Amino acid sequence: MTTAVFYVTLALHLLAVAFKLLLLFMIPRLKNVAQVQDFLVKYKKMDSAANRTLWLTGGAMILANYRLLFQMWLLVSMLIYMVIFWIIKQVALKGMEEVAASKKIHAREELRKLRISNWCAIIIVFILLMSIGTLMMTKPF
């Protein structure tokens, strides 16, 4: 894989990661059940495309340079990314599904709970992303 193709693949990979993280910043903008339901339908379609993009571009980068798999810091970073995406799925998506399933029009209490758990997820994800950045810069092992 040439350098230009690698960087294009990396850019697509990072774009998919950014899309998945964008969910955490969209939740505070949702004001009622109808908005949550509409957003959830659109997001799930795009999320499956982002998932496929992540797997394809990640696989392409590893196939292009299999030596990446021998860098422990990168393997730990991949594990941390998986934890981040699991947190997003467990906190944000499940919370949104609970609000969407609500029979209420505004579901203020459910939305408040979703926003609080979302802010907690943002803080945890930020800390995990900073740890990935530290691993990338220092390559400790």
Side-chain angles (χ1 to χ4, degrees):
M1 183 182 288
T2 65
T3 305
V5 174
F6 180 81
Y7 284 121
V8 169
T9 305
L10 180 62
L12 286 172
H13 190 78
L14 294 175
L15 191 64
V17 169
F19 174 79
K20 292 185 78 64
L21 294 175
L22 182 67
L23 173 68
L24 295 173
F25 298 98
M26 293 303 295
I27 287 176
R29 300 173 193 265
L30 303 172
K31 304 295 182 205
N32 58 42
V33 175
Q35 286 181 346
V36 172
Q37 290 170 338
D38 291 342
F39 180 77
L40 199 54
V41 168
K42 293 174 189 172
Y43 181 81
K44 283 189 175 183
K45 289 178 187 175
M46 296 295 291
D47 187 49
S48 63
N51 286 337
R52 285 191 299 276
T53 302
L54 284 172
W55 283 105
L56 289 173
T57 57
M61 286 187 289
I62 288 176
L63 285 176
N65 189 358
Y66 69 91
R67 291 180 303 239
L68 292 172
L69 292 175
F70 297 114
Q71 298 181 21
M72 187 57 72
W73 68 269
L74 184 61
L75 294 174
V76 171
S77 294
M78 285 189 240
L79 181 64
I80 293 171
Y81 267 122
M82 286 189 244
V83 169
I84 289 171
F85 295 143
W86 180 81
I87 289 170
I88 291 172
K89 185 174 183 176
Q90 293 300 312
V91 173
L93 283 178
K94 290 214 189 254
M96 288 177 66
E97 288 171 352
E98 288 175 12
V99 172
S102 174
K103 301 291 183 203
K104 302 174 185 175
I105 294 173
H106 293 290
R108 286 182 177 90
E109 185 62 30
E110 290 87 348
L111 281 168
R112 186 184 70 77
K113 179 183 169 192
L114 175 62
R115 285 188 190 104
I116 290 170
S117 62
N118 184 60
W119 279 110
C120 294
I122 287 173
I123 292 167
I124 292 169
V125 166
F126 179 76
I127 291 168
L128 291 173
L129 286 173
M130 294 306 292
S131 67
I132 291 172
T134 302
L135 287 172
M136 292 172 126
M137 289 186 296
T138 61
K139 299 179 184 175
F141 42 85

